[in-house]
Amino acid sequence: MKVLGVDPGLTRCGVGVVDGVAGRPLTMVGVGVVRTPADADIALRLVEIERGIDAWLDEHRPEYVAVERVFSQHNVRTVMGTAQASAVAMLCAARRGLPVVLHTPSEVKAAVTGSGRADKAQVGAMVTRLLRLDAPPKPADAADALALAICHIWRAPAVNRLQQAHAAARRAAPATIPSSGPRRATPQKGTR
């Protein structure tokens, strides 16, 4: 399975491609950062991110795109930029018909380091070890993108089994008849 991990950001959008399957050694295919100037217009920055991600998709032809799920932060401006870059990554993948998966930062940290509270240095160190690299990828956004790809490769078999079980349960469940509207509560005996 080849996965493009995307650590979204406006100034630095980390991208990394990992190939492999759960339970076997993984291989880093490529890693980098799509950069945009902080003083450029936001619309132009998003176009540059789109071009960068499109180039990675064209060059590496991943089967999945794993994007960090944006969650609330104290700085609204930062979270908005991250969300916009995330949306661009999802759009680029969807345009090609590639499945997009979202993983929270704590899911990624837990998958790669064993702790959902690991810091950037710990994630970088484990990515280096898991991919048998000489040094942690720099900047940390690049290492985070690889960690996202690793997380998805390791979690995909369990997620797929869970989705298949839910689909089978839905097929096996008898159809329910929707109610025609709200029902009135009937008083219990002994109450008024």
Side-chain angles (χ1 to χ4, degrees), residues 125-138:
M126 285 307 295
V127 165
T128 302
R129 176 187 250 173
L130 293 168
L131 297 176
R132 299 169 314 283
L133 305 175
D134 294 332
K138 299 285 183 192

Side-chain angles (χ1 to χ4, degrees), residues 104-119 122-123:
T104 66
S106 59
E107 287 173 344
V108 174
K109 291 173 185 178
V112 174
T113 70
S115 169
R117 295 177 181 253
D119 62 23
Q122 291 169 312
V123 171

